[in-house]
Amino acid sequence: YAETGFADGGKFKPHKTHQNGLSIDFMVPVINAKGESVHLATHPFNKFGYNIELDEQGKLDDLSIDYEAMAAHIVALHQSAKKHQAKMWRVIFDPQLQPWLLNTSHGDFLKSKVNFSKRRSWVRHDEHYHVDFTVPCQPL
């Protein structure tokens, strides 16, 4: 994962969300040219990964997004939320890269159960995906 917010909540600049524990950023899983899962380099010099720019297929040098792993992760998040009476409200991921994600073995599930952003947000979400959850209010 990348960022969630502060332990006690509150404004979490530069994010508009991430204030109440229900928003999480995940760095995309990547594979190298050999098809091996590798760590996406995150450090202060690339703004902890947020300054990485992938191409229109989700590639950078010899790395490419592991769309199957990403899709499986989103499915697992959706199922876990449901199990705990929560809901995955939306996933923000670069609309230009979404077709690659939806063309995985989990594509039908994602298309029918997950609400993806339709427009590019103020920050391109190519190297990470943002997931918002909702939880039902319990009467006091």
Side-chain angles (χ1 to χ4, degrees), residues 22-132:
L22 298 175
S23 300
I24 305 170
D25 284 348
F26 296 95
M27 301 313 284
V28 294
V30 293
I31 51 177
N32 64 18
K34 297 177 185 176
E36 302 166 326
S37 179
V38 295
H39 180 74
L40 182 63
T42 59
H43 48 73
F45 299 112
N46 67 9
K47 295 187 179 181
F48 299 100
Y50 286 95
N51 204 31
I52 293 171
E53 288 294 323
L54 303 173
D55 71 12
E56 65 279 350
Q57 295 177 352
K59 296 182 180 196
L60 174 68
D61 301 326
D62 72 333
L63 300 177
S64 59
I65 295 175
D66 185 346
Y67 289 106
E68 283 292 336
M70 183 178 164
H73 182 240
I74 294 170
V75 168
L77 288 172
H78 184 277
Q79 292 171 336
S80 182
K82 187 174 181 178
K83 178 181 174 184
H84 294 283
Q85 288 79 48
K87 182 180 176 187
M88 181 185 289
W89 173 47
R90 70 175 171 186
V91 174
I92 300 174
F93 182 57
D94 188 339
Q96 186 177 5
L97 299 176
Q98 288 178 26
W100 297 92
L101 181 64
L102 299 176
N103 195 34
T104 63
S105 63
H106 299 285
D108 289 340
F109 181 94
L110 296 176
K111 290 173 196 172
S112 66
K113 304 283 186 190
V114 179
N115 178 32
F116 284 93
S117 56
K118 304 289 187 255
R119 295 180 283 127
R120 183 174 166 180
S121 63
W122 66 285
V123 171
R124 185 174 180 221
H125 287 68
D126 59 328
E127 75 293 316
H128 77 285
Y129 49 109
H130 171 103
V131 181
D132 285 316

